[in-house]
Amino acid sequence: GLVNQTAIVSNQVVDETSSNTDVKVNSTQSAAESYERYSYKDNQIEAAQDPSVEEQLEEVAEDLEQAETEVLNAICEEYGVSEEEIQSLLDDMGLSVLDLLNPENLVNFIMQLTGITSSEELLLDESFLTIMETMDSLAEGLMKDLNVDMEGLQELVNQMELVSEET
């Protein structure tokens, strides 16, 4: 049969009409049997989808963690600083390691790290050019692996930061 439900949502009347025609109940089959017969389908669909979404997220997380490690290593090596020094400066600037894949953040970070004050001077710095290339190819690789553009990559980085803040 049809079930009419009326709900008032912020002074608007919403009329929801739901139909129960998708599960046919014949006279020899009780409603409970029908439910049992069809309910497993919902569970099957959920079980099939959940792991793949989780696996995808894990894969993204692994890719991003790998990139994070490479970013840290590159800066440590090129500038002779420790991961702690890098992390401390990033914290002061309100950035994450992966935010350095964004060229604007990287420029600001390296200027803070080195004390170089002009962008002209920065562009003449061998180490900076090496780091820029490294970050660029890292970002390119991530975008290719994760099948996203720079904006999509930034979005994933932000989501991963939210997830890691919650845990």
Side-chain angles (χ1 to χ4, degrees):
L2 291 175
V3 180
N4 286 329
Q5 298 173 326
T6 305
I8 297 176
V9 180
S10 65
N11 299 333
Q12 292 180 325
V13 177
V14 178
D15 187 20
E16 289 180 10
T17 308
S18 65
S19 154
N20 196 12
T21 56
D22 50 352
V23 178
K24 298 271 186 275
V25 181
N26 65 31
S27 56
T28 59
Q29 194 179 27
S30 74
E33 285 172 334
S34 254
Y35 175 78
E36 303 235 336
R37 182 171 165 206
Y38 292 105
S39 68
Y40 76 92
K41 287 185 178 177
D42 289 342
N43 297 339
Q44 271 186 329
I45 291 167
E46 273 180 42
Q49 286 175 344
D50 279 355
S52 68
V53 170
E54 282 173 20
E55 283 168 13
Q56 284 175 331
L57 284 176
E58 279 177 30
E59 209 171 286
V60 168
E62 282 172 24
D63 286 351
L64 291 177
E65 281 173 29
Q66 176 68 35
E68 197 171 79
T69 304
E70 289 180 39
V71 168
L72 282 171
N73 289 343
I75 295 172
C76 287
E77 239 173 78
E78 200 59 49
Y79 286 100
V81 290
S82 70
E83 281 188 32
E84 291 75 26
E85 289 171 286
I86 294 170
Q87 200 55 64
S88 170
L89 182 55
L90 286 171
D91 292 345
D92 291 348
M93 295 177 73
L95 296 174
S96 77
V97 172
L98 292 173
D99 287 332
L100 297 179
L101 292 173
N102 175 327
E104 192 180 324
N105 292 334
L106 182 63
V107 166
N108 292 332
F109 174 79
I110 297 295
M111 285 175 91
Q112 286 287 318
L113 182 70
T114 59
I116 292 176
T117 51
S118 75
S119 45
E120 292 81 19
E121 199 181 330
L122 195 60
L123 290 173
L124 297 174
D125 181 49
E126 283 293 315
S127 295
F128 175 71
L129 297 175
T130 304
I131 288 293
M132 269 309 267
E133 268 178 44
T134 305
M135 297 305 157
D136 203 40
S137 70
L138 261 176
E140 289 291 320
L142 273 174
M143 291 186 288
K144 190 170 174 248
D145 289 350
L146 303 173
N147 200 21
V148 293
D149 59 7
M150 193 61 185
E151 209 171 283
L153 181 59
Q154 201 56 53
E155 189 57 39
L156 285 171
V157 167
N158 294 340
Q159 285 176 1
M160 284 303 161
E161 285 169 11
L162 290 175
V163 169
S164 62
E165 281 171 19
E166 287 169 14
T167 53

